[in-house]
Amino acid sequence: MHSFVRFSLLASSALIAAPALAATDDGAAAAPAVQQSPSSVGTGATDESEEILVTARRRQETSQAVPLAISVVGGEHIDNTGAFNVGRLQQLTPTLQFYTSNPRNSAANIRGLGAPFGLTNDGIEQGVGIYVDDVYYSRAASSTFDFLDVAQIEVLRGPQGTLYGKNTTAGAINITSRQPSFDFQGRAEVTIGNLAFKQAKAAVSGPLSSTLAARVAVSATSRKGTLFNVTTGNWINEQDNLGLRAQLLWRPGDAIDVTLAGDYSVQDPECCAQIYVRTGATQRALNRQYAALAAAQGYAVPSTNPFDRITDVDADLNAGNTIGGVSLRVKWDTGPGTLTSITAWRFWDWKPANDRDFTGLPITTKSNNPSQQHQYTHELRYSQSGEHFDFVAGLFGFHQTVRTQGVQEQGAAASRWLLNPSSALAANPAVLNHLTANNDIRLDNTSVAAFGQVSVKLTDALTIQPGVRINYDKKKGLYSSVVTGTASDGTRQPVLFSGPYSTDPWIVAQRGVLAPQRFEPQFSAWNFSYDLNVSYKLARDVLAYAAYARTFKSGGINLNGVPSDAAGNPLLAAGTVRPEALDHFELGIKTQLWDRKATFNLSAFRTDIRDFQALVTNGQLGVLRGYLANAEKVRSQGIEWDLSIRPSKRFNAYVNGTWTDATYRRFVDAPCPPELSGGGAGTPAAAPGVPGNSPANCDISGQRLPGVSKWSFSFGAEANTPVSLLGKDGELYAGVDGNTRTAFSSNPSPSAYTWVPGYTLTNLRLGFRTAGGLNIYGWVRNAFGVDYFEQLAVPSGNTGLIVGSPGDPRTWGGTIKIEF
């Protein structure tokens, strides 16, 4: 735990960029000087005539001039609403979904697409790219850290493969940090709240010489956990984050900017438990379902109401992880255009401890996958704008190494819980006690690409924008699981499929729980992406566009284990996963009305995917985690709209919404939901709760993708009035922000047991601010104390247990900011 006094000096987002930085063709080096306007997500105190500047097309332009669906959230609104990480950002952008059971097992989806729903597999790519100052963050764990000194965030909806690369089939999150300035400036922000919440952010920026400027920022957050563990007496699922960022800007002349940036963030919370939610009948024999298994050991959970927020998990918990890196960005104004070079190294060190039986029984006493990851990237691009055309062209290189040392160990209660109760072995705790799998998992991932995009202005109103990208990927992996158990003679022996002890009854039973396996998958392929965008200005403030994209998500390799044959040999065909191929169609219109006091943007989209990468299980307990396979066809289609009004500087409001229909169009060999699983394979399942055989696979064609609500909305408003308080002239303001989503499935194959009911969350704030930079306000999040789940999950073994992650309860607090 980090316990120290936290103080902050954050520079104003409207003051960061020096004039020379703001006036660039390539937006990579310049933080937009304005965050809030009628076309942005959220509310703020800026003048209604200001415009949003974005870098979605790798050059700086107004958001309403960009012919694609984009949500822009300013740094001020992020701070004011407490949306300090991607998980909370989704409450402001309804088309973005974020799911996490711990930092490693996190995923961001846009329009229902992105990463497979479930546990992370190192050998697969994300579908939503995360970029910070043009640097690609390959691991979704970065999205669980606090935003650090952010000027604004752009959520780009739909495929962005031409400019952003192979891992943006669903969209991209483009984060721009505040840049060093040649004027001394800063801001201080301190927040306290219930649940012992403390947060501070700090940054200071200014000149070191006439050609050198620096910026240093810090952010720290801590909060007591929201669940009480009666076994340890601790509050768990807490928050504990510390982040540092430093930048140096060297400007030897008007034509060249060189920025060296480094960041380091660490988390060390006691986290992350999922707790008992309910049970449901499966196809297992009744004596192998949850109620009978718990009764056999005299076990009962401390509460069957998950919103009592009580658990008794008995294994160690930790979500310790460290992330950081260094980047060097060189930007050269050549006269006709701008040449930009970005070189970066990043690392992520993951040190987890989990309770994967989700009970107070010592069934699985260890289930940890500590991992060390390094990535190296370089991008070189040239952009140029002219009277009749704009273009961007570039090269990109990426190399990543991942080294994971996994361990799973069974405990004294495992025999009774995991083995057939009719067997005498189930009554002997020693059979599975200390059964241990040690896993060596490795990935070497290399990718290179060349890309280009040109905007041809055929008339003052009509623009055609084609783009292409050619990409090469190569992945090499290793999965090696060495299992050690106790033989019937009491000696420790390797668990093998052949050898002196391979027929020992204890070893045979142990192989059914943790099976040894080793394979070395490889994948390589060239892929070609292209898109075409046609836009037409119907009037000064009305832009219509149509877009088509043919893109892909890179193929992958399974690094969580794969099914085995009867002799224990891994099925190597399951070791690789084919690339996803996407065809995307979109129509949209972007408008500003009433002298730009109102903005209304509307888009309709359809994405057809072949070989969708889905998480599946094969029913073998010996496969430690689900593995990835290809579903034949998936489709996501829908309508999105963004409406904001600012009739005066005293009031502004917004309502954003989306209707999304995301379904498996053809997936005939999907894993069955729990109510149809667990009774053996080969014949149709009986009704849930009636033991019998169940099918090896299920046809879920036409059913909903996990994690996707049919309807989702975000909304907000802020009003202010001039007052004098504390001897200062300023504004008294009140604001509300919220989001609504309908029910969604929380299992890869929809199950009656894992539908998360819809909910609405409402956040309120009331404060006083001055033109001199003082801002004092109180806030309430989840103001009406809504009980809701972030997600539900089906543990392995198919006992009928359903666990989940309750969302945050009502929280409240106060914030003080000062600018100078």
Side-chain angles (χ1 to χ4, degrees):
M1 295 287 296
H2 305 292
S3 54
F4 51 85
V5 177
R6 292 163 176 174
F7 178 73
S8 72
L9 300 169
L10 249 94
S12 165
S13 61
L15 297 175
I16 293 308
L21 273 177
T24 60
D25 292 327
D26 186 320
V34 178
Q35 276 69 48
Q36 305 295 341
S37 85
S39 60
S40 67
V41 173
T43 58
T46 58
D47 186 86
E48 58 266 30
S49 64
E50 294 173 340
E51 294 182 315
I52 301 286
L53 299 178
V54 299
T55 59
R57 294 193 290 182
R58 300 304 198 193
R59 58 181 182 269
Q60 200 171 67
E61 54 196 329
T62 64
S63 63
Q64 288 298 105
V66 179
L68 59 85
I70 178 173
S71 300
V72 185
V73 185
E76 289 295 324
H77 195 58
I78 290 169
D79 294 339
N80 292 342
T81 59
F84 52 80
N85 57 33
V86 173
R88 292 192 171 188
L89 179 66
Q90 67 176 334
Q91 296 184 14
L92 303 177
T93 54
T95 195
L96 172 68
Q97 301 94 31
F98 181 76
Y99 306 99
T100 180
S101 57
N102 63 36
R104 174 183 170 85
N105 296 313
S106 300
N109 286 357
I110 293 176
R111 295 173 171 174
L113 306 174
F117 195 88
L119 296 174
T120 295
N121 190 314
D122 286 334
I124 210 72
E125 310 281 3
Q126 300 292 314
V128 175
I130 299 175
Y131 292 80
V132 179
D133 292 337
D134 283 350
V135 176
Y136 173 58
Y137 283 38
S138 63
R139 309 314 302 180
S142 61
S143 56
T144 66
F145 284 89
D146 292 359
F147 293 138
L148 186 56
D149 204 21
V150 168
Q152 76 175 27
I153 298 175
E154 304 161 23
V155 179
L156 314 180
R157 311 193 297 262
Q160 308 294 324
T162 297
L163 294 184
Y164 287 85
K166 58 178 180 174
N167 303 321
T168 56
T169 51
I173 301 173
N174 188 27
I175 301 173
T176 303
S177 67
R178 298 176 174 116
Q179 300 297 300
S181 64
F182 284 92
D183 296 321
F184 181 75
Q185 51 196 236
R187 177 193 297 171
E189 176 183 330
V190 177
T191 299
I192 59 172
N194 68 328
L195 298 180
F197 180 76
K198 298 183 290 291
Q199 185 177 72
K201 303 176 184 179
V204 62
S205 182
L208 300 179
S209 71
S210 60
T211 60
L212 191 65
R215 183 175 185 85
V216 179
V218 61
S219 174
T221 303
S222 67
R223 192 187 73 178
K224 185 176 75 172
T226 56
L227 302 176
F228 184 71
N229 189 346
V230 299
T231 299
T232 63
N234 295 341
W235 288 91
I236 61 175
N237 290 15
E238 61 187 2
Q239 295 176 356
D240 184 33
N241 306 318
L242 172 65
L244 303 169
R245 183 178 181 85
Q247 298 179 82
L248 284 174
L249 169 63
W250 179 49
R251 182 176 294 160
D254 293 338
I256 295 179
D257 283 348
V258 179
T259 304
L260 177 66
D263 65 276
Y264 178 88
S265 296
V266 60
Q267 292 179 337
D268 191 26
E270 187 174 354
C271 189
C272 301
Q274 292 178 294
I275 65 174
Y276 177 101
V277 174
R278 64 173 69 95
T279 61
T282 76
Q283 294 298 307
R284 271 190 153 198
L286 291 177
N287 65 351
R288 302 200 69 185
Q289 297 193 39
Y290 179 85
L293 293 170
Q297 303 203 44
Y299 173 72
V301 293
S303 175
T304 57
N305 179 2
F307 296 106
D308 286 343
R309 301 180 183 274
I310 298 173
T311 186
D312 63 348
V313 293
D314 58 334
D316 290 338
L317 292 176
N318 190 45
N321 65 125
T322 306
I323 195 167
V326 178
S327 66
L328 179 67
R329 183 173 54 205
V330 181
K331 190 164 177 296
W332 177 27
D333 182 354
T334 63
T338 303
L339 183 66
T340 303
S341 170
I342 309 108
T343 304
W345 162 74
R346 298 203 59 76
F347 74 92
W348 179 47
D349 191 2
W350 170 233
K351 299 177 181 178
N354 303 301
D355 190 312
R356 284 302 180 197
D357 60 50
F358 309 100
T359 72
L361 293 171
I363 302 168
T364 301
T365 56
K366 293 181 182 178
S367 182
N368 312 324
N369 281 281
S371 183
Q372 305 82 44
Q373 306 190 36
H374 296 265
Q375 72 168 61
Y376 307 85
T377 58
H378 181 71
E379 182 170 351
L380 181 68
R381 68 170 180 262
Y382 179 78
S383 63
Q384 184 172 325
S385 295
E387 182 179 355
H388 299 294
F389 70 92
D390 305 322
F391 77 88
V392 178
L395 302 171
F396 177 76
F398 168 85
H399 181 70
Q400 176 191 40
T401 61
V402 182
R403 300 293 183 263
T404 299
Q405 307 82 38
V407 61
Q408 178 165 331
E409 183 174 332
Q410 306 307 134
S415 296
R416 174 70 72 177
W417 194 270
L418 299 176
L419 300 180
N420 192 327
S422 63
S423 167
L425 297 179
N428 188 345
V431 175
L432 295 186
N433 194 25
H434 300 302
L435 175 65
T436 304
N438 289 286
N439 304 323
D440 182 5
I441 305 172
R442 304 180 187 183
L443 172 68
D444 290 277
N445 182 10
T446 301
S447 180
V448 293
F451 60 90
Q453 185 182 81
V454 59
S455 298
V456 182
K457 304 167 189 175
L458 298 179
T459 70
D460 289 342
L462 177 63
T463 300
I464 297 178
Q465 178 184 279
V468 297
R469 188 180 188 103
I470 186 168
N471 195 95
Y472 175 74
D473 287 294
K474 182 177 181 181
K475 294 182 173 74
K476 295 177 61 178
L478 167 68
Y479 179 85
S480 175
S481 181
V482 177
V483 182
T484 305
T486 302
S488 58
D489 62 6
T491 62
R492 296 289 288 173
Q493 298 292 335
V495 176
L496 301 171
F497 285 89
S498 62
Y501 281 86
S502 62
T503 59
D504 183 288
W506 286 29
I507 298 296
V508 172
Q510 292 163 10
R511 281 202 307 263
V513 176
L514 294 177
Q517 192 172 87
R518 179 187 172 92
F519 61 99
E520 299 183 34
Q522 296 188 37
F523 172 86
S524 63
W526 287 91
N527 279 282
F528 181 67
S529 296
Y530 55 91
D531 57 39
L532 178 65
N533 185 294
V534 179
S535 60
Y536 190 82
K537 292 201 70 172
L538 301 173
R540 186 191 71 161
D541 293 323
V542 181
L543 177 69
Y545 64 91
Y548 168 75
R550 178 66 184 272
T551 188
F552 74 100
K553 187 167 80 171
S554 173
I557 55 179
N558 270 305
L559 292 177
N560 284 347
V562 296
S564 299
D565 62 20
N569 300 308
L571 300 179
L572 298 181
T576 58
V577 185
R578 295 187 299 275
E580 290 182 358
L582 286 82
D583 289 290
H584 176 78
F585 309 85
E586 185 160 341
L587 296 172
I589 188 167
K590 310 181 86 166
T591 66
Q592 289 187 286
L593 309 169
W594 303 325
D595 196 24
R596 299 188 175 180
K597 290 182 171 62
T599 297
F600 178 68
N601 298 332
L602 179 68
S603 61
F605 64 89
R606 172 171 170 157
T607 304
D608 294 304
I609 305 177
R610 295 189 306 280
D611 291 328
F612 179 77
Q613 295 167 354
L615 184 74
V616 303
T617 57
N618 70 325
Q620 292 180 329
L621 190 60
V623 176
L624 298 185
R625 300 178 185 272
Y627 68 99
L628 288 160
N630 294 101
E632 293 94 322
K633 293 181 181 179
V634 160
R635 183 187 69 202
S636 176
Q637 60 186 3
I639 299 172
E640 302 167 334
W641 64 93
D642 305 302
L643 172 64
S644 61
I645 60 171
R646 188 184 295 271
S648 76
K649 63 182 180 180
R650 299 298 175 202
F651 179 78
N652 52 75
Y654 68 94
V655 178
N656 306 323
T658 179
W659 171 79
T660 306
D661 175 38
T663 56
Y664 299 103
R665 303 316 302 158
R666 181 172 173 79
F667 196 6
V668 298
D669 57 351
C672 292
E675 57 266 40
L676 298 179
S677 300
T683 62
V690 181
N693 287 341
S694 55
N697 303 103
C698 287
D699 184 352
I700 61 172
S701 303
Q703 297 197 46
R704 297 254 297 273
L705 291 180
V708 187
S709 297
K710 279 277 190 181
W711 296 92
S712 184
F713 306 89
S714 63
F715 55 88
E718 184 179 292
N720 67 77
T721 185
V723 297
S724 293
L725 290 176
L726 307 175
K728 297 180 180 294
D729 293 331
E731 296 175 344
L732 180 67
Y733 65 92
V736 57
D737 292 276
N739 70 293
T740 295
R741 64 180 306 183
T742 57
F744 62 92
S745 168
S746 191
N747 194 55
S749 295
S751 166
Y753 306 146
T754 56
W755 280 94
V756 175
Y759 54 85
T760 297
L761 303 179
T762 306
N763 309 319
L764 306 173
R765 62 185 181 277
L766 176 67
F768 171 74
R769 61 185 169 227
T770 70
L774 175 65
N775 190 356
I776 304 174
Y777 62 94
W779 49 266
V780 183
R781 294 184 58 83
N782 190 6
F784 301 109
V786 175
D787 289 333
Y788 69 101
F789 292 106
E790 294 182 348
Q791 67 180 91
L792 301 175
V794 181
S796 62
N798 204 50
T799 66
L801 175 63
I802 306 297
V803 298
S805 303
D808 282 354
R810 179 191 295 114
T811 56
W812 49 266
T815 299
I816 300 176
K817 299 181 185 180
I818 56 172
E819 300 176 15
F820 57 89

